[in-house]
Amino acid sequence: MKLTDDWFTALSENEAGDMMVVCGRDNITPFIESGKFKERAEVYWRYKGETKGMPSDEEARRMEPVQEALKKAMEKDKLAILTGVYTGGDERIWVFYTRNVPAFGQMLNKALEPFELLPIEIYTEKDPDWTEYHGMYELKPENGEGDTEEDY
């Protein structure tokens, strides 16, 4: 299975009605169908939002190396796959699907060692059917290329 770095961007709203920018991973059907990634791990970074709950430029710049470090560490040996990034409503959420939650936690701690203490929280849940991903994928603009609903 080859993991591509194909993404789409869409706008949505969270439950409170705040605008959310959604970046979703595309072309990952083989990983879904493998049945190996049965658990979802979400990493929340809450911040004091500026305009319409979006992060300041400074806060966004602070999040980028953290995102890259997590993505690189988790995807190196395909322990987990970053499938979605939600930004808005005073938080950024990174959504991963993982093979193993305890190993994910250990890798997360190792990947974040170089950074100062970060305002993050972790949530995990069994999601063998990739329910969250499929819901997010429905937001994909129709003019994009890649996986289609028929692939699921």
Side-chain angles (χ1 to χ4, degrees):
M1 290 184 294
K2 184 175 187 318
L3 184 58
T4 65
D5 207 21
D6 299 335
W7 294 82
F8 65 89
T9 303
L11 295 178
S12 185
E13 291 183 351
N14 66 9
E15 293 170 359
D18 297 317
M19 183 184 77
M20 298 290 290
V21 176
V22 179
C23 297
R25 191 85 171 253
D26 209 348
N27 299 314
I28 58 173
T29 303
F31 294 90
I32 297 169
E33 292 175 348
S34 75
K36 295 178 181 178
F37 299 86
K38 296 179 180 182
E39 298 184 87
R40 188 176 75 244
E42 299 176 359
V43 180
Y44 292 80
W45 178 317
R46 291 188 172 79
Y47 54 81
K48 185 172 167 64
E50 289 197 338
T51 307
K52 297 185 180 182
M54 299 307 284
S56 66
D57 289 344
E58 180 182 331
E59 192 77 6
R61 279 191 297 273
R62 193 171 158 224
M63 288 184 226
E64 290 310 311
V66 172
Q67 179 172 316
E68 285 307 309
L70 287 173
K71 183 175 178 262
K72 182 179 177 183
M74 298 302 173
E75 294 180 356
K76 180 182 176 193
D77 294 321
K78 296 186 179 89
L79 168 63
I81 300 167
L82 179 61
T83 60
V85 181
Y86 297 79
T87 306
D90 300 330
E91 67 184 358
R92 177 168 289 176
I93 307 165
W94 292 289
V95 179
F96 291 86
Y97 277 84
T98 184
R99 298 171 182 259
N100 181 295
V101 167
F104 178 91
Q106 291 173 348
M107 184 62 71
L108 181 132
N109 286 333
K110 185 175 180 180
L112 298 180
E113 276 179 357
F115 298 96
E116 63 185 49
L117 186 62
L118 299 170
I120 62 170
E121 296 176 24
I122 297 25
Y123 169 82
T124 64
E125 174 178 321
K126 291 190 183 312
D127 188 3
D129 297 324
W130 288 59
T131 305
E132 191 283 333
Y133 178 81
H134 292 301
M136 183 257 321
Y137 199 82
E138 290 178 7
L139 299 172
K140 180 181 176 185
E142 298 213 11
N143 62 355
E145 295 180 359
D147 291 346
T148 63
E149 289 184 34
E150 292 83 51
D151 292 332
Y152 304 109

